[in-house]
Amino acid sequence: MLVRVFTFLFGFVMMVIGFSFLILYLNLLTIGYSFIEYVNFIIRRPEIYCLIVGMIVVILITIIPGGNKNELHL
């Protein structure tokens, strides 16, 4: 169970890093980038891949049941 908690926290931290950089990169729209240029820029940044990996980890860790039958599931 402790491994699942730390895995969830790892995924959550990755999502926070990705979302914060996504919000920071929104400033590009104020300096004249179009939305297509903005999307083209953010899909090439490694910080956004942290967001994707974090979301996948959090979704998987909440959906896949643990090995202990006495464990509480959502």
Side-chain angles (χ1 to χ4, degrees), residues 8-63:
F8 179 82
L9 287 176
F10 171 75
F12 185 75
V13 167
M14 297 286 280
M15 280 189 352
V16 167
I17 291 170
F19 273 123
S20 45
F21 275 99
L22 186 69
I23 291 170
L24 285 173
Y25 290 145
L26 278 174
N27 288 327
L28 292 174
L29 294 175
T30 62
I31 60 172
Y33 278 55
S34 69
F35 185 73
I36 300 299
E37 291 171 331
Y38 168 72
V39 171
N40 193 19
F41 177 76
I42 64 169
I43 62 173
R44 289 175 168 67
R45 302 300 302 170
E47 296 90 4
I48 302 305
Y49 294 126
C50 290
L51 170 68
I52 295 168
V53 169
M55 288 178 78
I56 290 171
V57 167
V58 168
I59 289 170
L60 287 178
I61 205 70
T62 54
I63 290 177

Side-chain angles (χ1 to χ4, degrees), residues 67-73:
N68 190 359
K69 291 191 178 229
N70 294 328
E71 190 172 324
L72 179 63
H73 298 287

